[in-house]
Amino acid sequence: MPLSGQIHRQLMDAILDGTLTGALPSERELAETFGANRHAVREAIKRLQQGNLVEVNQGGATRVLDIPAHAGLDLLPELVIARGTFNDEATVGVLELRACIGADAARLCAERSPHVGAQLLDLLPHDAMSDAELAATGAAYWTALVTGTDSLPYRLALNTLMAGLEAIDDSPTAKHFMAALRDESRRTADLELLARAITRSDPAAAHATATRLLNTSITAVRNAADRP
Amino acid sequence: MPLSGQIHRQLMDAILDGTLTGALPSERELAETFGANRHAVREAIKRLQQGNLVEVNQGGATRVLDIPAHAGLDLLPELVIARGTFNDEATVGVLELRACIGADAARLCAERSPHVGAQLLDLLPHDAMSDAELAATGAAYWTALVTGTDSLPYRLALNTLMAGLEAIDDSPTAKHFMAALRDESRRTADLELLARAITRSDPAAAHATATRLLNTSITAVRNAADRP
DNA sequence: TAGGGTTACTGGTCCAACCAGACAACGAGT
DNA sequence: ACTCGTTGTCTGGTTGGACCAGTAACCCTA
């Protein structure tokens, strides 16, 4: 990993930990403590700034912002694996958000792009698939569905949420989450039902089926989290 | 605006225009064409990288990524005012997303934090309010409601969506959008109904009321867009 | 013609300055 | 003793030039 990337990560972790609050040390100081050049530090800070984690003032100090009040959804991947360990609460939140948006996307897709239903039928999982293939097929399924909404914001929201969920892979403490998501990808019956609802332009059925499908994972994960 | 910020903006615009595709010119070239130092260019590119707009490879070229496939929701502000002029289609998408998430947040808030209802009653608009006060009160209302979901992801989603809608301010071609959003903030009756549904822990009513409230703005905006 | 090595390009890092804005400490005037 | 302006020193912003570290294309050889 490039040096500026390492610095970015360490600063990010410190901010999410709460280790780093208020005013950051000066760029010159940070450069010295990290044993790096000031430019490397600046590039790291530029990325934090882009993520609305810090506020930079020429002449004044760079300050850490209140995360819940200022950060955007692109923080999800960091949140899910914050503090080095897996963060159950945040991940359930991501799944809830996904259920809400996914169901609405299904509705819009049924309204606007019924022809996508046929594509979705080609993206149903088989029993013979490996875990990796399963994940890829699942991602392709939802990508196609969301593309059918004809709405770039929905598409971007899917990207952001999937990035958040992919962060789970990096954490060994999250096996039950992975398992629950795999189980969801294997629910061929519901996935097919959803595809057919879209094909026949039935927004209400699409919404209902998607809600059921996506909420099942949430309860599965909740149960697994309670008895680990 | 800092120089690196200007460069960032120009590159971003060129990417969203489709003017800039495939491989970017080298950092040294860009520095020369912008009449700036290479470090300034690098900082701009670091921000593009953080937004998943470009892919940087040491030794190889920096390439523009496929935006719908890779960018995240934090791109919304840029999207709404892309190409210098206002982008109706994207903005309607943002409103739809907001309606979907806002209604779900209302449901969760009613389930988990009924006490927030009282706060919301204090954040109802008065007739005497100026446009700025109205906007501030509206923002505070939804912030309090989303905080009641006890879910950081929902909070971050709100931040991202509000950032997208605030970008409208910068565009003079979007008066009808501004007007529609102001009208929404003035719908005291529905806002109060929603607050009371939350107070009495009635998720279904909260969801329904929020949906009605938020969808009204969408149709209002659609009508205004058709007859400008 | 197929292979490998050289070379010219890419981004990554460093150093050492200097510019520009903010802010606090200090001293003159009241 | 208090107020207010000046000034010094801190902050981030920008510059130039140099070198390291990869990639990829090119050319020369077997």
PDB file of all heavy atoms in Angstrom, chain A residues 172-209:
ATOM      1  N   PRO A 172     -12.737 -11.636  10.015  1.00  0.00           N
ATOM      2  CA  PRO A 172     -12.994 -13.047  10.328  1.00  0.00           C
ATOM      3  C   PRO A 172     -14.072 -13.212  11.389  1.00  0.00           C
ATOM      4  O   PRO A 172     -14.619 -14.295  11.552  1.00  0.00           O
ATOM      5  CB  PRO A 172     -11.638 -13.529  10.845  1.00  0.00           C
ATOM      6  CG  PRO A 172     -10.964 -12.296  11.362  1.00  0.00           C
ATOM      7  CD  PRO A 172     -11.454 -11.160  10.531  1.00  0.00           C
ATOM      8  N   THR A 173     -14.415 -12.128  12.096  1.00  0.00           N
ATOM      9  CA  THR A 173     -15.413 -12.225  13.159  1.00  0.00           C
ATOM     10  C   THR A 173     -16.837 -12.167  12.631  1.00  0.00           C
ATOM     11  O   THR A 173     -17.778 -12.075  13.405  1.00  0.00           O
ATOM     12  CB  THR A 173     -15.225 -11.079  14.176  1.00  0.00           C
ATOM     13  OG1 THR A 173     -14.833  -9.906  13.478  1.00  0.00           O
ATOM     14  CG2 THR A 173     -14.234 -11.450  15.229  1.00  0.00           C
ATOM     15  N   ALA A 174     -16.987 -12.224  11.310  1.00  0.00           N
ATOM     16  CA  ALA A 174     -18.306 -11.959  10.747  1.00  0.00           C
ATOM     17  C   ALA A 174     -18.833 -13.140   9.953  1.00  0.00           C
ATOM     18  O   ALA A 174     -19.587 -12.985   9.005  1.00  0.00           O
ATOM     19  CB  ALA A 174     -18.250 -10.725   9.871  1.00  0.00           C
ATOM     20  N   LYS A 175     -18.446 -14.341  10.384  1.00  0.00           N
ATOM     21  CA  LYS A 175     -18.838 -15.512   9.600  1.00  0.00           C
ATOM     22  C   LYS A 175     -20.336 -15.670   9.501  1.00  0.00           C
ATOM     23  O   LYS A 175     -20.862 -16.069   8.463  1.00  0.00           O
ATOM     24  CB  LYS A 175     -18.224 -16.767  10.237  1.00  0.00           C
ATOM     25  CG  LYS A 175     -16.705 -16.794  10.082  1.00  0.00           C
ATOM     26  CD  LYS A 175     -16.164 -18.209  10.183  1.00  0.00           C
ATOM     27  CE  LYS A 175     -14.642 -18.226  10.054  1.00  0.00           C
ATOM     28  NZ  LYS A 175     -13.981 -18.791  11.228  1.00  0.00           N
ATOM     29  N   HIS A 176     -21.057 -15.344  10.591  1.00  0.00           N
ATOM     30  CA  HIS A 176     -22.510 -15.526  10.548  1.00  0.00           C
ATOM     31  C   HIS A 176     -23.162 -14.576   9.544  1.00  0.00           C
ATOM     32  O   HIS A 176     -24.150 -14.915   8.924  1.00  0.00           O
ATOM     33  CB  HIS A 176     -23.118 -15.356  11.948  1.00  0.00           C
ATOM     34  CG  HIS A 176     -22.727 -14.092  12.637  1.00  0.00           C
ATOM     35  ND1 HIS A 176     -21.417 -13.811  12.990  1.00  0.00           N
ATOM     36  CD2 HIS A 176     -23.462 -13.031  13.049  1.00  0.00           C
ATOM     37  CE1 HIS A 176     -21.382 -12.632  13.585  1.00  0.00           C
ATOM     38  NE2 HIS A 176     -22.604 -12.140  13.632  1.00  0.00           N
ATOM     39  N   PHE A 177     -22.554 -13.382   9.385  1.00  0.00           N
ATOM     40  CA  PHE A 177     -23.093 -12.469   8.383  1.00  0.00           C
ATOM     41  C   PHE A 177     -22.890 -13.040   6.985  1.00  0.00           C
ATOM     42  O   PHE A 177     -23.798 -13.047   6.161  1.00  0.00           O
ATOM     43  CB  PHE A 177     -22.413 -11.101   8.489  1.00  0.00           C
ATOM     44  CG  PHE A 177     -23.063 -10.203   9.469  1.00  0.00           C
ATOM     45  CD1 PHE A 177     -22.749 -10.274  10.811  1.00  0.00           C
ATOM     46  CD2 PHE A 177     -24.017  -9.293   9.063  1.00  0.00           C
ATOM     47  CE1 PHE A 177     -23.356  -9.448  11.729  1.00  0.00           C
ATOM     48  CE2 PHE A 177     -24.629  -8.457   9.975  1.00  0.00           C
ATOM     49  CZ  PHE A 177     -24.299  -8.534  11.310  1.00  0.00           C
ATOM     50  N   MET A 178     -21.682 -13.517   6.735  1.00  0.00           N
ATOM     51  CA  MET A 178     -21.394 -14.085   5.432  1.00  0.00           C
ATOM     52  C   MET A 178     -22.347 -15.226   5.127  1.00  0.00           C
ATOM     53  O   MET A 178     -22.907 -15.329   4.030  1.00  0.00           O
ATOM     54  CB  MET A 178     -19.950 -14.602   5.401  1.00  0.00           C
ATOM     55  CG  MET A 178     -18.893 -13.532   5.508  1.00  0.00           C
ATOM     56  SD  MET A 178     -18.971 -12.400   4.132  1.00  0.00           S
ATOM     57  CE  MET A 178     -18.656 -13.551   2.786  1.00  0.00           C
ATOM     58  N   ALA A 179     -22.550 -16.070   6.122  1.00  0.00           N
ATOM     59  CA  ALA A 179     -23.418 -17.236   5.924  1.00  0.00           C
ATOM     60  C   ALA A 179     -24.841 -16.795   5.597  1.00  0.00           C
ATOM     61  O   ALA A 179     -25.482 -17.328   4.683  1.00  0.00           O
ATOM     62  CB  ALA A 179     -23.403 -18.113   7.177  1.00  0.00           C
ATOM     63  N   ALA A 180     -25.317 -15.796   6.315  1.00  0.00           N
ATOM     64  CA  ALA A 180     -26.687 -15.327   6.085  1.00  0.00           C
ATOM     65  C   ALA A 180     -26.829 -14.773   4.672  1.00  0.00           C
ATOM     66  O   ALA A 180     -27.830 -15.030   3.988  1.00  0.00           O
ATOM     67  CB  ALA A 180     -27.043 -14.252   7.117  1.00  0.00           C
ATOM     68  N   LEU A 181     -25.815 -14.045   4.220  1.00  0.00           N
ATOM     69  CA  LEU A 181     -25.913 -13.466   2.879  1.00  0.00           C
ATOM     70  C   LEU A 181     -25.837 -14.552   1.816  1.00  0.00           C
ATOM     71  O   LEU A 181     -26.472 -14.453   0.768  1.00  0.00           O
ATOM     72  CB  LEU A 181     -24.803 -12.431   2.684  1.00  0.00           C
ATOM     73  CG  LEU A 181     -24.975 -11.154   3.524  1.00  0.00           C
ATOM     74  CD1 LEU A 181     -23.821 -10.203   3.298  1.00  0.00           C
ATOM     75  CD2 LEU A 181     -26.298 -10.477   3.195  1.00  0.00           C
ATOM     76  N   ARG A 182     -25.051 -15.580   2.089  1.00  0.00           N
ATOM     77  CA  ARG A 182     -24.992 -16.699   1.135  1.00  0.00           C
ATOM     78  C   ARG A 182     -26.344 -17.390   1.059  1.00  0.00           C
ATOM     79  O   ARG A 182     -26.831 -17.732  -0.021  1.00  0.00           O
ATOM     80  CB  ARG A 182     -23.910 -17.688   1.549  1.00  0.00           C
ATOM     81  CG  ARG A 182     -22.578 -17.459   0.864  1.00  0.00           C
ATOM     82  CD  ARG A 182     -21.738 -18.731   0.893  1.00  0.00           C
ATOM     83  NE  ARG A 182     -21.534 -19.198   2.257  1.00  0.00           N
ATOM     84  CZ  ARG A 182     -20.610 -18.702   3.078  1.00  0.00           C
ATOM     85  NH1 ARG A 182     -19.819 -17.734   2.679  1.00  0.00           N
ATOM     86  NH2 ARG A 182     -20.472 -19.189   4.299  1.00  0.00           N
ATOM     87  N   ASP A 183     -26.950 -17.597   2.226  1.00  0.00           N
ATOM     88  CA  ASP A 183     -28.267 -18.232   2.233  1.00  0.00           C
ATOM     89  C   ASP A 183     -29.257 -17.428   1.408  1.00  0.00           C
ATOM     90  O   ASP A 183     -30.078 -17.981   0.683  1.00  0.00           O
ATOM     91  CB  ASP A 183     -28.778 -18.350   3.675  1.00  0.00           C
ATOM     92  CG  ASP A 183     -28.059 -19.453   4.433  1.00  0.00           C
ATOM     93  OD1 ASP A 183     -27.360 -20.245   3.763  1.00  0.00           O
ATOM     94  OD2 ASP A 183     -28.185 -19.504   5.670  1.00  0.00           O
ATOM     95  N   GLU A 184     -29.156 -16.108   1.518  1.00  0.00           N
ATOM     96  CA  GLU A 184     -30.082 -15.266   0.764  1.00  0.00           C
ATOM     97  C   GLU A 184     -29.902 -15.476  -0.737  1.00  0.00           C
ATOM     98  O   GLU A 184     -30.876 -15.588  -1.480  1.00  0.00           O
ATOM     99  CB  GLU A 184     -29.851 -13.802   1.117  1.00  0.00           C
ATOM    100  CG  GLU A 184     -30.722 -12.870   0.311  1.00  0.00           C
ATOM    101  CD  GLU A 184     -30.381 -11.416   0.588  1.00  0.00           C
ATOM    102  OE1 GLU A 184     -30.560 -10.978   1.724  1.00  0.00           O
ATOM    103  OE2 GLU A 184     -29.914 -10.727  -0.342  1.00  0.00           O
ATOM    104  N   SER A 185     -28.621 -15.529  -1.164  1.00  0.00           N
ATOM    105  CA  SER A 185     -28.357 -15.701  -2.589  1.00  0.00           C
ATOM    106  C   SER A 185     -28.894 -17.024  -3.096  1.00  0.00           C
ATOM    107  O   SER A 185     -29.090 -17.213  -4.297  1.00  0.00           O
ATOM    108  CB  SER A 185     -26.846 -15.640  -2.846  1.00  0.00           C
ATOM    109  OG  SER A 185     -26.369 -14.346  -2.568  1.00  0.00           O
ATOM    110  N   ARG A 186     -29.122 -17.962  -2.169  1.00  0.00           N
ATOM    111  CA  ARG A 186     -29.571 -19.290  -2.598  1.00  0.00           C
ATOM    112  C   ARG A 186     -31.086 -19.421  -2.609  1.00  0.00           C
ATOM    113  O   ARG A 186     -31.608 -20.489  -2.934  1.00  0.00           O
ATOM    114  CB  ARG A 186     -28.985 -20.330  -1.633  1.00  0.00           C
ATOM    115  CG  ARG A 186     -27.760 -21.032  -2.187  1.00  0.00           C
ATOM    116  CD  ARG A 186     -27.429 -22.248  -1.353  1.00  0.00           C
ATOM    117  NE  ARG A 186     -26.623 -21.883  -0.192  1.00  0.00           N
ATOM    118  CZ  ARG A 186     -25.288 -21.903  -0.190  1.00  0.00           C
ATOM    119  NH1 ARG A 186     -24.637 -22.251  -1.268  1.00  0.00           N
ATOM    120  NH2 ARG A 186     -24.624 -21.567   0.895  1.00  0.00           N
ATOM    121  N   ARG A 187     -31.783 -18.360  -2.266  1.00  0.00           N
ATOM    122  CA  ARG A 187     -33.240 -18.482  -2.191  1.00  0.00           C
ATOM    123  C   ARG A 187     -33.837 -18.319  -3.586  1.00  0.00           C
ATOM    124  O   ARG A 187     -34.554 -17.368  -3.901  1.00  0.00           O
ATOM    125  CB  ARG A 187     -33.792 -17.453  -1.218  1.00  0.00           C
ATOM    126  CG  ARG A 187     -33.207 -17.652   0.181  1.00  0.00           C
ATOM    127  CD  ARG A 187     -33.960 -16.859   1.193  1.00  0.00           C
ATOM    128  NE  ARG A 187     -35.394 -17.115   1.117  1.00  0.00           N
ATOM    129  CZ  ARG A 187     -36.264 -16.466   1.844  1.00  0.00           C
ATOM    130  NH1 ARG A 187     -35.872 -15.533   2.663  1.00  0.00           N
ATOM    131  NH2 ARG A 187     -37.542 -16.741   1.727  1.00  0.00           N
ATOM    132  N   THR A 188     -33.571 -19.317  -4.399  1.00  0.00           N
ATOM    133  CA  THR A 188     -33.941 -19.261  -5.810  1.00  0.00           C
ATOM    134  C   THR A 188     -35.424 -18.992  -6.023  1.00  0.00           C
ATOM    135  O   THR A 188     -35.808 -18.232  -6.922  1.00  0.00           O
ATOM    136  CB  THR A 188     -33.566 -20.586  -6.496  1.00  0.00           C
ATOM    137  OG1 THR A 188     -32.252 -20.935  -6.106  1.00  0.00           O
ATOM    138  CG2 THR A 188     -33.622 -20.444  -8.001  1.00  0.00           C
ATOM    139  N   ALA A 189     -36.262 -19.610  -5.184  1.00  0.00           N
ATOM    140  CA  ALA A 189     -37.710 -19.480  -5.382  1.00  0.00           C
ATOM    141  C   ALA A 189     -38.136 -18.017  -5.326  1.00  0.00           C
ATOM    142  O   ALA A 189     -38.827 -17.517  -6.225  1.00  0.00           O
ATOM    143  CB  ALA A 189     -38.446 -20.293  -4.313  1.00  0.00           C
ATOM    144  N   ASP A 190     -37.697 -17.303  -4.271  1.00  0.00           N
ATOM    145  CA  ASP A 190     -38.085 -15.900  -4.134  1.00  0.00           C
ATOM    146  C   ASP A 190     -37.477 -15.045  -5.233  1.00  0.00           C
ATOM    147  O   ASP A 190     -38.124 -14.130  -5.755  1.00  0.00           O
ATOM    148  CB  ASP A 190     -37.659 -15.365  -2.757  1.00  0.00           C
ATOM    149  CG  ASP A 190     -38.708 -15.650  -1.699  1.00  0.00           C
ATOM    150  OD1 ASP A 190     -39.869 -15.892  -2.078  1.00  0.00           O
ATOM    151  OD2 ASP A 190     -38.362 -15.621  -0.498  1.00  0.00           O
ATOM    152  N   LEU A 191     -36.224 -15.343  -5.586  1.00  0.00           N
ATOM    153  CA  LEU A 191     -35.577 -14.555  -6.634  1.00  0.00           C
ATOM    154  C   LEU A 191     -36.344 -14.709  -7.947  1.00  0.00           C
ATOM    155  O   LEU A 191     -36.504 -13.739  -8.704  1.00  0.00           O
ATOM    156  CB  LEU A 191     -34.120 -14.997  -6.789  1.00  0.00           C
ATOM    157  CG  LEU A 191     -33.201 -14.619  -5.617  1.00  0.00           C
ATOM    158  CD1 LEU A 191     -31.855 -15.323  -5.733  1.00  0.00           C
ATOM    159  CD2 LEU A 191     -33.003 -13.108  -5.549  1.00  0.00           C
ATOM    160  N   GLU A 192     -36.823 -15.919  -8.199  1.00  0.00           N
ATOM    161  CA  GLU A 192     -37.572 -16.151  -9.432  1.00  0.00           C
ATOM    162  C   GLU A 192     -38.936 -15.463  -9.373  1.00  0.00           C
ATOM    163  O   GLU A 192     -39.373 -14.834 -10.345  1.00  0.00           O
ATOM    164  CB  GLU A 192     -37.754 -17.662  -9.645  1.00  0.00           C
ATOM    165  CG  GLU A 192     -38.397 -17.981 -10.975  1.00  0.00           C
ATOM    166  CD  GLU A 192     -38.507 -19.485 -11.217  1.00  0.00           C
ATOM    167  OE1 GLU A 192     -37.792 -20.232 -10.509  1.00  0.00           O
ATOM    168  OE2 GLU A 192     -39.297 -19.881 -12.082  1.00  0.00           O
ATOM    169  N   LEU A 193     -39.558 -15.538  -8.214  1.00  0.00           N
ATOM    170  CA  LEU A 193     -40.853 -14.876  -8.022  1.00  0.00           C
ATOM    171  C   LEU A 193     -40.723 -13.384  -8.296  1.00  0.00           C
ATOM    172  O   LEU A 193     -41.573 -12.765  -8.963  1.00  0.00           O
ATOM    173  CB  LEU A 193     -41.302 -15.101  -6.571  1.00  0.00           C
ATOM    174  CG  LEU A 193     -42.780 -15.398  -6.318  1.00  0.00           C
ATOM    175  CD1 LEU A 193     -43.224 -16.597  -7.146  1.00  0.00           C
ATOM    176  CD2 LEU A 193     -43.034 -15.650  -4.840  1.00  0.00           C
ATOM    177  N   LEU A 194     -39.647 -12.814  -7.774  1.00  0.00           N
ATOM    178  CA  LEU A 194     -39.413 -11.374  -7.955  1.00  0.00           C
ATOM    179  C   LEU A 194     -39.223 -11.054  -9.443  1.00  0.00           C
ATOM    180  O   LEU A 194     -39.808 -10.096  -9.965  1.00  0.00           O
ATOM    181  CB  LEU A 194     -38.186 -10.952  -7.138  1.00  0.00           C
ATOM    182  CG  LEU A 194     -37.687  -9.525  -7.288  1.00  0.00           C
ATOM    183  CD1 LEU A 194     -38.824  -8.539  -7.097  1.00  0.00           C
ATOM    184  CD2 LEU A 194     -36.575  -9.254  -6.287  1.00  0.00           C
ATOM    185  N   ALA A 195     -38.428 -11.883 -10.101  1.00  0.00           N
ATOM    186  CA  ALA A 195     -38.188 -11.657 -11.531  1.00  0.00           C
ATOM    187  C   ALA A 195     -39.493 -11.706 -12.314  1.00  0.00           C
ATOM    188  O   ALA A 195     -39.742 -10.878 -13.203  1.00  0.00           O
ATOM    189  CB  ALA A 195     -37.197 -12.696 -12.058  1.00  0.00           C
ATOM    190  N   ARG A 196     -40.354 -12.655 -11.972  1.00  0.00           N
ATOM    191  CA  ARG A 196     -41.615 -12.788 -12.707  1.00  0.00           C
ATOM    192  C   ARG A 196     -42.550 -11.617 -12.406  1.00  0.00           C
ATOM    193  O   ARG A 196     -43.286 -11.148 -13.292  1.00  0.00           O
ATOM    194  CB  ARG A 196     -42.297 -14.115 -12.358  1.00  0.00           C
ATOM    195  CG  ARG A 196     -41.474 -15.321 -12.807  1.00  0.00           C
ATOM    196  CD  ARG A 196     -42.299 -16.578 -12.957  1.00  0.00           C
ATOM    197  NE  ARG A 196     -41.429 -17.718 -13.278  1.00  0.00           N
ATOM    198  CZ  ARG A 196     -40.930 -17.935 -14.484  1.00  0.00           C
ATOM    199  NH1 ARG A 196     -41.197 -17.107 -15.481  1.00  0.00           N
ATOM    200  NH2 ARG A 196     -40.146 -18.986 -14.697  1.00  0.00           N
ATOM    201  N   ALA A 197     -42.529 -11.139 -11.170  1.00  0.00           N
ATOM    202  CA  ALA A 197     -43.353  -9.970 -10.837  1.00  0.00           C
ATOM    203  C   ALA A 197     -42.931  -8.776 -11.684  1.00  0.00           C
ATOM    204  O   ALA A 197     -43.758  -7.988 -12.142  1.00  0.00           O
ATOM    205  CB  ALA A 197     -43.218  -9.648  -9.349  1.00  0.00           C
ATOM    206  N   ILE A 198     -41.631  -8.652 -11.872  1.00  0.00           N
ATOM    207  CA  ILE A 198     -41.135  -7.540 -12.695  1.00  0.00           C
ATOM    208  C   ILE A 198     -41.563  -7.721 -14.147  1.00  0.00           C
ATOM    209  O   ILE A 198     -42.018  -6.779 -14.797  1.00  0.00           O
ATOM    210  CB  ILE A 198     -39.607  -7.434 -12.568  1.00  0.00           C
ATOM    211  CG1 ILE A 198     -39.238  -6.914 -11.172  1.00  0.00           C
ATOM    212  CG2 ILE A 198     -39.021  -6.540 -13.649  1.00  0.00           C
ATOM    213  CD1 ILE A 198     -37.780  -6.925 -10.859  1.00  0.00           C
ATOM    214  N   THR A 199     -41.447  -8.951 -14.636  1.00  0.00           N
ATOM    215  CA  THR A 199     -41.811  -9.221 -16.029  1.00  0.00           C
ATOM    216  C   THR A 199     -43.265  -8.851 -16.315  1.00  0.00           C
ATOM    217  O   THR A 199     -43.589  -8.275 -17.352  1.00  0.00           O
ATOM    218  CB  THR A 199     -41.588 -10.708 -16.352  1.00  0.00           C
ATOM    219  OG1 THR A 199     -40.203 -10.998 -16.153  1.00  0.00           O
ATOM    220  CG2 THR A 199     -41.967 -11.020 -17.788  1.00  0.00           C
ATOM    221  N   ARG A 200     -44.141  -9.153 -15.359  1.00  0.00           N
ATOM    222  CA  ARG A 200     -45.550  -8.842 -15.596  1.00  0.00           C
ATOM    223  C   ARG A 200     -45.929  -7.455 -15.082  1.00  0.00           C
ATOM    224  O   ARG A 200     -47.123  -7.155 -14.900  1.00  0.00           O
ATOM    225  CB  ARG A 200     -46.432  -9.938 -14.999  1.00  0.00           C
ATOM    226  CG  ARG A 200     -46.646  -9.890 -13.505  1.00  0.00           C
ATOM    227  CD  ARG A 200     -47.528 -11.028 -13.016  1.00  0.00           C
ATOM    228  NE  ARG A 200     -46.746 -11.905 -12.152  1.00  0.00           N
ATOM    229  CZ  ARG A 200     -46.661 -11.736 -10.826  1.00  0.00           C
ATOM    230  NH1 ARG A 200     -47.303 -10.755 -10.234  1.00  0.00           N
ATOM    231  NH2 ARG A 200     -45.936 -12.561 -10.103  1.00  0.00           N
ATOM    232  N   SER A 201     -44.915  -6.610 -14.841  1.00  0.00           N
ATOM    233  CA  SER A 201     -45.162  -5.215 -14.428  1.00  0.00           C
ATOM    234  C   SER A 201     -46.072  -5.122 -13.211  1.00  0.00           C
ATOM    235  O   SER A 201     -47.058  -4.401 -13.228  1.00  0.00           O
ATOM    236  CB  SER A 201     -45.803  -4.421 -15.578  1.00  0.00           C
ATOM    237  OG  SER A 201     -44.816  -3.806 -16.340  1.00  0.00           O
ATOM    238  N   ASP A 202     -45.715  -5.857 -12.182  1.00  0.00           N
ATOM    239  CA  ASP A 202     -46.529  -5.874 -10.971  1.00  0.00           C
ATOM    240  C   ASP A 202     -45.729  -5.262  -9.818  1.00  0.00           C
ATOM    241  O   ASP A 202     -45.118  -5.979  -9.018  1.00  0.00           O
ATOM    242  CB  ASP A 202     -46.923  -7.324 -10.646  1.00  0.00           C
ATOM    243  CG  ASP A 202     -47.899  -7.409  -9.490  1.00  0.00           C
ATOM    244  OD1 ASP A 202     -47.999  -6.432  -8.719  1.00  0.00           O
ATOM    245  OD2 ASP A 202     -48.549  -8.462  -9.352  1.00  0.00           O
ATOM    246  N   PRO A 203     -45.734  -3.928  -9.727  1.00  0.00           N
ATOM    247  CA  PRO A 203     -44.894  -3.248  -8.729  1.00  0.00           C
ATOM    248  C   PRO A 203     -45.176  -3.702  -7.307  1.00  0.00           C
ATOM    249  O   PRO A 203     -44.239  -3.903  -6.521  1.00  0.00           O
ATOM    250  CB  PRO A 203     -45.260  -1.772  -8.906  1.00  0.00           C
ATOM    251  CG  PRO A 203     -45.850  -1.665 -10.258  1.00  0.00           C
ATOM    252  CD  PRO A 203     -46.534  -2.970 -10.511  1.00  0.00           C
ATOM    253  N   ALA A 204     -46.443  -3.858  -6.961  1.00  0.00           N
ATOM    254  CA  ALA A 204     -46.775  -4.219  -5.585  1.00  0.00           C
ATOM    255  C   ALA A 204     -46.190  -5.578  -5.221  1.00  0.00           C
ATOM    256  O   ALA A 204     -45.575  -5.744  -4.157  1.00  0.00           O
ATOM    257  CB  ALA A 204     -48.297  -4.235  -5.402  1.00  0.00           C
ATOM    258  N   ALA A 205     -46.361  -6.558  -6.123  1.00  0.00           N
ATOM    259  CA  ALA A 205     -45.818  -7.889  -5.850  1.00  0.00           C
ATOM    260  C   ALA A 205     -44.297  -7.853  -5.801  1.00  0.00           C
ATOM    261  O   ALA A 205     -43.671  -8.497  -4.944  1.00  0.00           O
ATOM    262  CB  ALA A 205     -46.287  -8.871  -6.914  1.00  0.00           C
ATOM    263  N   ALA A 206     -43.690  -7.095  -6.696  1.00  0.00           N
ATOM    264  CA  ALA A 206     -42.233  -6.997  -6.701  1.00  0.00           C
ATOM    265  C   ALA A 206     -41.749  -6.432  -5.380  1.00  0.00           C
ATOM    266  O   ALA A 206     -40.808  -6.951  -4.763  1.00  0.00           O
ATOM    267  CB  ALA A 206     -41.773  -6.117  -7.859  1.00  0.00           C
ATOM    268  N   HIS A 207     -42.404  -5.370  -4.938  1.00  0.00           N
ATOM    269  CA  HIS A 207     -42.029  -4.744  -3.673  1.00  0.00           C
ATOM    270  C   HIS A 207     -42.168  -5.724  -2.520  1.00  0.00           C
ATOM    271  O   HIS A 207     -41.269  -5.872  -1.684  1.00  0.00           O
ATOM    272  CB  HIS A 207     -42.887  -3.497  -3.441  1.00  0.00           C
ATOM    273  CG  HIS A 207     -42.494  -2.705  -2.245  1.00  0.00           C
ATOM    274  ND1 HIS A 207     -42.903  -3.007  -0.970  1.00  0.00           N
ATOM    275  CD2 HIS A 207     -41.697  -1.609  -2.120  1.00  0.00           C
ATOM    276  CE1 HIS A 207     -42.391  -2.135  -0.116  1.00  0.00           C
ATOM    277  NE2 HIS A 207     -41.646  -1.275  -0.783  1.00  0.00           N
ATOM    278  N   ALA A 208     -43.289  -6.401  -2.480  1.00  0.00           N
ATOM    279  CA  ALA A 208     -43.550  -7.320  -1.368  1.00  0.00           C
ATOM    280  C   ALA A 208     -42.544  -8.470  -1.358  1.00  0.00           C
ATOM    281  O   ALA A 208     -41.990  -8.826  -0.310  1.00  0.00           O
ATOM    282  CB  ALA A 208     -44.975  -7.851  -1.469  1.00  0.00           C
ATOM    283  N   THR A 209     -42.301  -9.044  -2.531  1.00  0.00           N
ATOM    284  CA  THR A 209     -41.369 -10.179  -2.604  1.00  0.00           C
ATOM    285  C   THR A 209     -39.957  -9.754  -2.204  1.00  0.00           C
ATOM    286  O   THR A 209     -39.276 -10.447  -1.433  1.00  0.00           O
ATOM    287  CB  THR A 209     -41.351 -10.756  -4.030  1.00  0.00           C
ATOM    288  OG1 THR A 209     -42.682 -11.016  -4.439  1.00  0.00           O
ATOM    289  CG2 THR A 209     -40.529 -12.025  -4.065  1.00  0.00           C
TER     290      THR A 209
END
